[in-house]
Structure formats: structure tokens, C-alpha cells
Amino acid sequence: MKSHPPFYGDSNHTVFEKILSNRPIFPSHFDTLAKDIIDRLLVVEVEKRLGCGPDGVDEIKRHPWFQGTNWDAILQRQVPGPINPRIT
């Protein structure tokens, strides 16, 4: 299976036009909540985009995809990252 970035083309102009006029195509196994948050973050009209309303970033943090996320623990650096490489 060959994969591509969500928007690609022969020139920057083509990529830009695709970004403005197309939605990304998600694989069938892609999580429904992940699709929803991505779609809502990619809304072209800024005033309708998730996180750009009067509640700002709190709107994003309340999205069901982040359910169970302890934002205070993240801020205090108490949550390990999903990938923790050993660095020497």
C-alpha cells in the first residue's frame, strides 16, 4: 500500500489549492474521533474552526478525542510521552 501526505501535487500552488478546496481522505480503520478533530481543525473559515471561537484552545481540549487527558499533569510534566527514546 502506497501512502501519501494528505495534500500533494506537482507544485506548491497545486498543493495550496488542494488544501483550500479538499478534505483529507482517511483510511477506513482511522479512529472516528481522530477524524472529527482533524476535520474540525482543518476548517478553512477561521471563525468556524475548532479552537478559534471565544473559548479558544479550551474548545480543543474539551473535544471527546482528549477525554481522560489530565492537562494539569501534562503541564507539570508528569505524563510520559508516547515515545521515550534512550539518549546517550
Side-chain angles (χ1 to χ4, degrees):
M1 172 190 208
K2 189 173 183 181
S3 97
H4 297 281
F7 304 105
Y8 61 95
D10 295 332
S11 70
N12 287 344
H13 180 74
T14 302
V15 173
F16 182 71
E17 288 298 320
K18 287 181 178 184
I19 289 169
L20 292 178
S21 61
N22 295 315
R23 291 179 53 209
I25 298 170
F26 298 100
S28 59
H29 65 275
F30 210 77
D31 180 81
T32 303
L33 290 176
K35 276 194 268 192
D36 182 66
I37 195 169
I38 291 168
D39 274 338
R40 294 178 65 193
L41 288 168
L42 294 176
V43 169
V44 174
E45 296 176 63
V46 176
E47 61 277 358
K48 294 181 180 179
R49 188 179 305 146
L50 184 67
C52 293
D55 291 340
V57 72
D58 288 332
E59 186 179 19
I60 297 170
K61 290 165 71 174
R62 286 192 304 265
H63 188 277
W65 193 77
F66 288 112
Q67 183 176 6
T69 300
N70 184 336
W71 294 104
D72 291 326
I74 290 172
L75 185 62
Q76 298 299 318
R77 298 180 181 188
Q78 297 170 342
V79 178
I83 299 171
N84 299 291
R86 295 181 77 188
I87 299 174
T88 57

